[in-house]
């Protein structure tokens, strides 16, 4: 264990049992002489303490939000997700037995940490903005009944024209999220890839596309304004017809501590009934 081990606890105070779990962690930290820092509204923080491990208490959405925050702060620390939500696809540790895993991680340094590629998103329009996406981005019209038209370029060369309800670009980690619901493939999160999935395309020849994440994807909007860009279903930006979206592989990896008792395919079977 590192001397003066600093544990950052990011908790969603709206979740059931969150304060019960928080009390368990506080007691554990006091017994083991660990330093703890509590955060319930991290997105408003300008500065953050130097932590060695990030614990998230909530659902997958909480972990994704914390991951995006830490990456933007250039803090590359392992994230340990305790599931207090519904699905628990990314937050693999149960609220009743996580302390055994946590003790092994901190004191024996025995853990399985996976590096995951995430998205770097540049929005070019009235102003330029750079954002991080953990799972995916999607572009849809604000007006629900209208279709949109998008031109997709790969490495600045025109590739596909999309007409339909929208477009999703996901990381391999996010392939099991909105992209899957829209008919996209499940992609092993150890792969280096972008998954491009149309939402209700109005062309019969449009299919999901998997490409190397060494490519640059750019999306030009055409003909329509009043479009909406969503990042991880948590960050939203309005776009106009002159906006352009550029997606590349983010410079750093997300580090997630995995439950050594479960493989990725065990989780797919458990959460999505894959192959059952």
């Amino acid at each position: 264990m590192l001397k003066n081990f600093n544990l950052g606890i990011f908790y969603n105070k709206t979740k059931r049992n969150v304060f019960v779990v928080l009390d368990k962690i506080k007691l554990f930290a006091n017994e083991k002489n660990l330093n703890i820092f509590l955060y319930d509204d991290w997105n408003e923080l300008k500065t953050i303490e130097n932590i060695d491990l990030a614990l998230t208490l909530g659902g997958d959405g909480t972990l994704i939000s914390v991951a995006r925050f830490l990456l933007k702060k250039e803090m590359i620390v392992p994230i340990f997700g305790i599931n207090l939500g519904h699905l628990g696809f990314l937050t693999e540790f149960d609220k009743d037995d996580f302390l055994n895993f946590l003790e092994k991680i901190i004191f024996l340094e025995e853990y399985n940490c996976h590096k995951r590629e995430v998205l770097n998103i540049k929005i070019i329009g009235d102003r330029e903005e750079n954002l991080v996406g953990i799972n995916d981005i999607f572009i849809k019209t604000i007006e629900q009944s209208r279709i949109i038209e998008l031109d997709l370029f790969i490495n600045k060369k025109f590739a596909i024209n999309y007409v339909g309800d929208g477009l999703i670009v996901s990381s391999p980690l996010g392939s099991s999220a909105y992209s899957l619901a829209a008919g996209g493939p499940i992609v092993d999160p150890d792969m280096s890839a972008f998954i491009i999935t149309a939402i209700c395309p109005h062309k019969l020849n449009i299919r999901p596309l998997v490409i190397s994440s060494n490519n640059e994807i750019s999306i030009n909007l055409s003909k329509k304004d009043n479009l909406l860009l969503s990042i991880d279903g948590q960050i939203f930006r309005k776009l106009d017809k002159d906006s352009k979206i550029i997606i590349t592989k983010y410079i750093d990896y997300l580090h997630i501590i995995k439950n050594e008792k479960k493989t990725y395919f065990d989780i797919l079977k458990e959460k999505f009934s894959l192959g059952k």
Side-chain angles (χ1 to χ4, degrees):
M1 184 187 78
L2 295 173
K3 188 177 181 181
N4 299 321
F5 193 92
N6 294 332
L7 193 59
I9 304 171
F10 301 81
Y11 64 99
N12 184 338
K13 57 188 176 183
T14 69
K15 294 295 184 181
R16 185 180 178 184
N17 296 320
V18 65
F19 293 105
V20 174
V21 177
L22 199 54
D23 286 342
K24 287 183 181 180
I25 298 171
K26 289 178 181 178
L27 182 61
F28 171 81
N30 185 56
E31 291 175 349
K32 304 297 183 181
N33 198 29
L34 306 175
N35 301 318
I36 63 172
F37 302 95
L38 304 178
Y39 306 102
D40 67 350
D41 192 9
W42 48 91
N43 288 308
E44 298 301 321
L45 291 176
K46 301 300 181 185
T47 60
I48 183 172
E49 288 80 3
N50 185 25
I51 60 175
D52 301 300
L53 177 66
L55 265 63
T56 68
L57 280 60
D60 288 348
T62 302
L63 187 148
I64 287 169
S65 176
V66 170
R68 202 170 47 239
F69 167 76
L70 292 175
L71 286 171
K72 287 297 286 183
K73 292 293 183 182
E74 299 182 353
M75 297 186 68
I76 312 304
V77 297
I79 300 178
F80 181 100
I82 301 170
N83 183 34
L84 302 179
H86 173 63
L87 183 61
F89 191 79
L90 302 177
T91 49
E92 296 183 21
F93 296 92
D94 186 81
K95 68 182 187 314
D96 297 319
D97 65 357
F98 70 91
L99 285 177
N100 293 327
F101 292 98
L102 189 59
E103 187 166 9
K104 289 174 65 177
I105 290 167
I106 295 174
F107 293 97
L108 300 179
E109 298 184 6
E110 293 181 3
Y111 58 92
N112 189 5
C113 189
H114 286 195
K115 296 194 300 182
R116 301 302 191 210
E117 286 188 354
V118 297
L119 309 175
N120 183 73
I121 303 128
K122 180 185 288 187
I123 305 172
I124 301 174
D126 293 337
R127 62 189 181 93
E128 189 170 304
E129 188 174 13
N130 285 284
L131 298 164
V132 179
I134 306 301
N135 267 354
D136 52 38
I137 69 105
F138 69 80
I139 302 172
K140 297 176 73 174
T141 178
I142 295 174
E143 302 171 34
Q144 295 297 327
S145 61
R146 299 181 67 182
I147 65 171
I148 63 175
E149 185 174 350
L150 306 170
D151 288 332
L152 182 128
F153 294 77
I154 298 176
N155 298 328
K156 298 182 173 59
K157 295 182 178 180
F158 175 76
I160 304 170
N161 172 257
Y162 289 97
V163 179
D165 286 0
L167 188 67
I168 305 164
V169 179
S170 78
S171 66
L173 189 66
S175 70
S176 57
Y178 190 17
S179 176
L180 177 63
I186 297 174
V187 175
D188 186 330
D190 285 329
M191 293 181 65
S192 297
F194 294 132
I195 301 92
I196 304 167
T197 308
I199 305 170
C200 299
H202 284 223
K203 294 181 179 180
L204 295 177
N205 60 348
I206 294 295
R207 293 292 182 267
L209 183 65
V210 180
I211 66 171
S212 168
S213 59
N214 292 323
N215 292 298
E216 175 192 277
I217 295 173
S218 56
I219 303 168
N220 289 0
L221 315 183
S222 57
K223 298 183 181 179
K224 304 285 187 183
D225 51 12
N226 294 324
L227 300 184
L228 184 70
L229 171 71
S230 170
I231 299 173
D232 296 329
Q234 296 179 340
I235 295 176
F236 302 92
R237 295 290 187 270
K238 288 185 178 180
L239 306 171
D240 60 39
K241 62 183 179 181
D242 296 320
S243 297
K244 182 178 181 180
I245 314 299
I246 298 176
I247 301 167
T248 53
K249 178 171 60 178
Y250 193 69
I251 189 171
D252 291 317
Y253 289 92
L254 169 64
H255 293 70
I256 299 181
I257 293 178
K258 306 291 289 179
N259 188 333
E260 61 190 19
K261 295 183 178 180
K262 299 180 181 179
T263 69
Y264 178 67
F265 296 98
D266 290 333
I267 297 170
L268 287 176
K269 291 176 184 177
E270 178 186 342
K271 304 301 180 180
F272 297 124
S273 300
L274 181 71
K276 289 186 177 180

